[in-house]
mmCIF file with all atom_site columns, all heavy atoms in Angstrom:
data_model
loop_
_atom_site.group_PDB
_atom_site.id
_atom_site.type_symbol
_atom_site.label_atom_id
_atom_site.label_alt_id
_atom_site.label_comp_id
_atom_site.label_asym_id
_atom_site.label_entity_id
_atom_site.label_seq_id
_atom_site.pdbx_PDB_ins_code
_atom_site.Cartn_x
_atom_site.Cartn_y
_atom_site.Cartn_z
_atom_site.occupancy
_atom_site.B_iso_or_equiv
_atom_site.pdbx_formal_charge
_atom_site.auth_seq_id
_atom_site.auth_comp_id
_atom_site.auth_asym_id
_atom_site.auth_atom_id
_atom_site.pdbx_PDB_model_num
ATOM 1   N N   . GLY A 1 124 ? -61.858 0.027   -42.252 1.00 90.00 ? 220 GLY A N   1
ATOM 2   C CA  . GLY A 1 124 ? -62.104 1.222   -41.442 1.00 90.00 ? 220 GLY A CA  1
ATOM 3   C C   . GLY A 1 124 ? -63.572 1.559   -41.404 1.00 90.00 ? 220 GLY A C   1
ATOM 4   O O   . GLY A 1 124 ? -64.234 1.454   -40.375 1.00 90.00 ? 220 GLY A O   1
ATOM 5   N N   . CYS A 1 125 ? -64.126 1.978   -42.535 1.00 90.00 ? 221 CYS A N   1
ATOM 6   C CA  . CYS A 1 125 ? -65.570 2.195   -42.662 1.00 90.00 ? 221 CYS A CA  1
ATOM 7   C C   . CYS A 1 125 ? -65.947 1.967   -44.122 1.00 90.00 ? 221 CYS A C   1
ATOM 8   O O   . CYS A 1 125 ? -65.120 2.104   -45.025 1.00 90.00 ? 221 CYS A O   1
ATOM 9   C CB  . CYS A 1 125 ? -65.969 3.600   -42.193 1.00 90.00 ? 221 CYS A CB  1
ATOM 10  S SG  . CYS A 1 125 ? -65.269 4.942   -43.162 1.00 90.00 ? 221 CYS A SG  1
ATOM 11  N N   . ASP A 1 126 ? -67.204 1.617   -44.349 1.00 90.00 ? 222 ASP A N   1
ATOM 12  C CA  . ASP A 1 126 ? -67.661 1.332   -45.710 1.00 90.00 ? 222 ASP A CA  1
ATOM 13  C C   . ASP A 1 126 ? -69.180 1.330   -45.713 1.00 90.00 ? 222 ASP A C   1
ATOM 14  O O   . ASP A 1 126 ? -69.822 1.336   -44.653 1.00 90.00 ? 222 ASP A O   1
ATOM 15  C CB  . ASP A 1 126 ? -67.116 -0.016  -46.169 1.00 90.00 ? 222 ASP A CB  1
ATOM 16  C CG  . ASP A 1 126 ? -66.906 -0.060  -47.680 1.00 90.00 ? 222 ASP A CG  1
ATOM 17  O OD1 . ASP A 1 126 ? -67.540 0.751   -48.385 1.00 90.00 ? 222 ASP A OD1 1
ATOM 18  O OD2 . ASP A 1 126 ? -66.111 -0.906  -48.152 1.00 90.00 ? 222 ASP A OD2 1
ATOM 19  N N   . THR A 1 127 ? -69.759 1.293   -46.933 1.00 90.00 ? 223 THR A N   1
ATOM 20  C CA  . THR A 1 127 ? -71.210 1.182   -47.041 1.00 90.00 ? 223 THR A CA  1
ATOM 21  C C   . THR A 1 127 ? -71.615 -0.280  -46.884 1.00 90.00 ? 223 THR A C   1
ATOM 22  O O   . THR A 1 127 ? -70.845 -1.191  -47.196 1.00 90.00 ? 223 THR A O   1
ATOM 23  C CB  . THR A 1 127 ? -71.703 1.707   -48.403 1.00 90.00 ? 223 THR A CB  1
ATOM 24  O OG1 . THR A 1 127 ? -71.132 0.907   -49.446 1.00 90.00 ? 223 THR A OG1 1
ATOM 25  C CG2 . THR A 1 127 ? -71.288 3.159   -48.598 1.00 90.00 ? 223 THR A CG2 1
ATOM 26  N N   . LEU A 1 128 ? -72.856 -0.507  -46.425 1.00 91.00 ? 224 LEU A N   1
ATOM 27  C CA  . LEU A 1 128 ? -73.315 -1.872  -46.195 1.00 91.00 ? 224 LEU A CA  1
ATOM 28  C C   . LEU A 1 128 ? -73.441 -2.655  -47.490 1.00 91.00 ? 224 LEU A C   1
ATOM 29  O O   . LEU A 1 128 ? -73.193 -3.869  -47.517 1.00 91.00 ? 224 LEU A O   1
ATOM 30  C CB  . LEU A 1 128 ? -74.653 -1.849  -45.456 1.00 91.00 ? 224 LEU A CB  1
ATOM 31  C CG  . LEU A 1 128 ? -74.640 -1.318  -44.024 1.00 91.00 ? 224 LEU A CG  1
ATOM 32  C CD1 . LEU A 1 128 ? -76.032 -1.422  -43.412 1.00 91.00 ? 224 LEU A CD1 1
ATOM 33  C CD2 . LEU A 1 128 ? -73.637 -2.064  -43.160 1.00 91.00 ? 224 LEU A CD2 1
ATOM 34  N N   . SER A 1 129 ? -73.808 -1.974  -48.590 1.00 90.00 ? 225 SER A N   1
ATOM 35  C CA  . SER A 1 129 ? -73.949 -2.662  -49.872 1.00 90.00 ? 225 SER A CA  1
ATOM 36  C C   . SER A 1 129 ? -72.625 -3.261  -50.334 1.00 90.00 ? 225 SER A C   1
ATOM 37  O O   . SER A 1 129 ? -72.562 -4.408  -50.779 1.00 90.00 ? 225 SER A O   1
ATOM 38  C CB  . SER A 1 129 ? -74.490 -1.692  -50.928 1.00 90.00 ? 225 SER A CB  1
ATOM 39  O OG  . SER A 1 129 ? -75.805 -1.298  -50.622 1.00 90.00 ? 225 SER A OG  1
ATOM 40  N N   . LYS A 1 130 ? -71.555 -2.483  -50.225 1.00 91.00 ? 226 LYS A N   1
ATOM 41  C CA  . LYS A 1 130 ? -70.239 -2.968  -50.648 1.00 91.00 ? 226 LYS A CA  1
ATOM 42  C C   . LYS A 1 130 ? -69.747 -4.087  -49.730 1.00 91.00 ? 226 LYS A C   1
ATOM 43  O O   . LYS A 1 130 ? -69.178 -5.079  -50.198 1.00 91.00 ? 226 LYS A O   1
ATOM 44  C CB  . LYS A 1 130 ? -69.240 -1.813  -50.656 1.00 91.00 ? 226 LYS A CB  1
ATOM 45  C CG  . LYS A 1 130 ? -69.512 -0.773  -51.724 1.00 91.00 ? 226 LYS A CG  1
ATOM 46  C CD  . LYS A 1 130 ? -68.483 0.344   -51.668 1.00 91.00 ? 226 LYS A CD  1
ATOM 47  C CE  . LYS A 1 130 ? -68.778 1.404   -52.712 1.00 91.00 ? 226 LYS A CE  1
ATOM 48  N NZ  . LYS A 1 130 ? -67.805 2.524   -52.658 1.00 91.00 ? 226 LYS A NZ  1
ATOM 49  N N   . VAL A 1 131 ? -69.973 -3.930  -48.425 1.00 91.00 ? 227 VAL A N   1
ATOM 50  C CA  . VAL A 1 131 ? -69.567 -4.972  -47.479 1.00 91.00 ? 227 VAL A CA  1
ATOM 51  C C   . VAL A 1 131 ? -70.320 -6.267  -47.768 1.00 91.00 ? 227 VAL A C   1
ATOM 52  O O   . VAL A 1 131 ? -69.723 -7.350  -47.812 1.00 91.00 ? 227 VAL A O   1
ATOM 53  C CB  . VAL A 1 131 ? -69.817 -4.514  -46.027 1.00 91.00 ? 227 VAL A CB  1
ATOM 54  C CG1 . VAL A 1 131 ? -69.614 -5.664  -45.059 1.00 91.00 ? 227 VAL A CG1 1
ATOM 55  C CG2 . VAL A 1 131 ? -68.885 -3.367  -45.660 1.00 91.00 ? 227 VAL A CG2 1
ATOM 56  N N   . ALA A 1 132 ? -71.630 -6.170  -47.985 1.00 90.00 ? 228 ALA A N   1
ATOM 57  C CA  . ALA A 1 132 ? -72.444 -7.363  -48.250 1.00 90.00 ? 228 ALA A CA  1
ATOM 58  C C   . ALA A 1 132 ? -71.990 -8.057  -49.535 1.00 90.00 ? 228 ALA A C   1
ATOM 59  O O   . ALA A 1 132 ? -71.909 -9.291  -49.591 1.00 90.00 ? 228 ALA A O   1
ATOM 60  C CB  . ALA A 1 132 ? -73.915 -6.986  -48.336 1.00 90.00 ? 228 ALA A CB  1
ATOM 61  N N   . LYS A 1 133 ? -71.679 -7.289  -50.565 1.00 90.00 ? 229 LYS A N   1
ATOM 62  C CA  . LYS A 1 133 ? -71.239 -7.859  -51.837 1.00 90.00 ? 229 LYS A CA  1
ATOM 63  C C   . LYS A 1 133 ? -69.908 -8.597  -51.679 1.00 90.00 ? 229 LYS A C   1
ATOM 64  O O   . LYS A 1 133 ? -69.738 -9.720  -52.154 1.00 90.00 ? 229 LYS A O   1
ATOM 65  C CB  . LYS A 1 133 ? -71.112 -6.760  -52.892 1.00 90.00 ? 229 LYS A CB  1
ATOM 66  C CG  . LYS A 1 133 ? -70.708 -7.269  -54.264 1.00 90.00 ? 229 LYS A CG  1
ATOM 67  C CD  . LYS A 1 133 ? -70.746 -6.165  -55.292 1.00 90.00 ? 229 LYS A CD  1
ATOM 68  C CE  . LYS A 1 133 ? -70.272 -6.672  -56.657 1.00 90.00 ? 229 LYS A CE  1
ATOM 69  N NZ  . LYS A 1 133 ? -71.116 -7.764  -57.169 1.00 90.00 ? 229 LYS A NZ  1
ATOM 70  N N   . ARG A 1 134 ? -68.963 -7.971  -50.975 1.00 91.00 ? 230 ARG A N   1
ATOM 71  C CA  . ARG A 1 134 ? -67.640 -8.580  -50.805 1.00 91.00 ? 230 ARG A CA  1
ATOM 72  C C   . ARG A 1 134 ? -67.704 -9.820  -49.921 1.00 91.00 ? 230 ARG A C   1
ATOM 73  O O   . ARG A 1 134 ? -67.001 -10.804 -50.157 1.00 91.00 ? 230 ARG A O   1
ATOM 74  C CB  . ARG A 1 134 ? -66.669 -7.557  -50.220 1.00 91.00 ? 230 ARG A CB  1
ATOM 75  C CG  . ARG A 1 134 ? -66.283 -6.468  -51.221 1.00 91.00 ? 230 ARG A CG  1
ATOM 76  C CD  . ARG A 1 134 ? -65.638 -5.291  -50.545 1.00 91.00 ? 230 ARG A CD  1
ATOM 77  N NE  . ARG A 1 134 ? -65.383 -4.209  -51.492 1.00 91.00 ? 230 ARG A NE  1
ATOM 78  C CZ  . ARG A 1 134 ? -65.134 -2.950  -51.140 1.00 91.00 ? 230 ARG A CZ  1
ATOM 79  N NH1 . ARG A 1 134 ? -65.118 -2.616  -49.864 1.00 91.00 ? 230 ARG A NH1 1
ATOM 80  N NH2 . ARG A 1 134 ? -64.913 -2.033  -52.059 1.00 91.00 ? 230 ARG A NH2 1
ATOM 81  N N   . VAL A 1 135 ? -68.536 -9.774  -48.872 1.00 90.00 ? 231 VAL A N   1
ATOM 82  C CA  . VAL A 1 135 ? -68.676 -10.946 -47.996 1.00 90.00 ? 231 VAL A CA  1
ATOM 83  C C   . VAL A 1 135 ? -69.324 -12.098 -48.762 1.00 90.00 ? 231 VAL A C   1
ATOM 84  O O   . VAL A 1 135 ? -68.911 -13.261 -48.614 1.00 90.00 ? 231 VAL A O   1
ATOM 85  C CB  . VAL A 1 135 ? -69.501 -10.585 -46.747 1.00 90.00 ? 231 VAL A CB  1
ATOM 86  C CG1 . VAL A 1 135 ? -69.890 -11.839 -45.967 1.00 90.00 ? 231 VAL A CG1 1
ATOM 87  C CG2 . VAL A 1 135 ? -68.702 -9.653  -45.843 1.00 90.00 ? 231 VAL A CG2 1
ATOM 88  N N   . THR A 1 136 ? -70.317 -11.804 -49.595 1.00 89.00 ? 232 THR A N   1
ATOM 89  C CA  . THR A 1 136 ? -70.958 -12.849 -50.406 1.00 89.00 ? 232 THR A CA  1
ATOM 90  C C   . THR A 1 136 ? -69.956 -13.483 -51.356 1.00 89.00 ? 232 THR A C   1
ATOM 91  O O   . THR A 1 136 ? -69.926 -14.715 -51.522 1.00 89.00 ? 232 THR A O   1
ATOM 92  C CB  . THR A 1 136 ? -72.128 -12.249 -51.206 1.00 89.00 ? 232 THR A CB  1
ATOM 93  O OG1 . THR A 1 136 ? -73.041 -11.595 -50.311 1.00 89.00 ? 232 THR A OG1 1
ATOM 94  C CG2 . THR A 1 136 ? -72.870 -13.337 -51.958 1.00 89.00 ? 232 THR A CG2 1
ATOM 95  N N   . GLU A 1 137 ? -69.117 -12.661 -51.987 1.00 87.00 ? 233 GLU A N   1
ATOM 96  C CA  . GLU A 1 137 ? -68.080 -13.190 -52.885 1.00 87.00 ? 233 GLU A CA  1
ATOM 97  C C   . GLU A 1 137 ? -67.080 -14.044 -52.112 1.00 87.00 ? 233 GLU A C   1
ATOM 98  O O   . GLU A 1 137 ? -66.625 -15.081 -52.606 1.00 87.00 ? 233 GLU A O   1
ATOM 99  C CB  . GLU A 1 137 ? -67.360 -12.037 -53.580 1.00 87.00 ? 233 GLU A CB  1
ATOM 100 C CG  . GLU A 1 137 ? -68.232 -11.286 -54.575 1.00 87.00 ? 233 GLU A CG  1
ATOM 101 C CD  . GLU A 1 137 ? -67.557 -10.026 -55.091 1.00 87.00 ? 233 GLU A CD  1
ATOM 102 O OE1 . GLU A 1 137 ? -66.477 -9.665  -54.563 1.00 87.00 ? 233 GLU A OE1 1
ATOM 103 O OE2 . GLU A 1 137 ? -68.104 -9.399  -56.022 1.00 87.00 ? 233 GLU A OE2 1
#
Side-chain angles (χ1 to χ4, degrees):
C221 63
D222 210 338
T223 62
L224 293 183
S225 294
K226 292 180 182 179
V227 171
K229 182 174 177 61
R230 289 165 185 163
V231 169
T232 305
E233 292 171 352

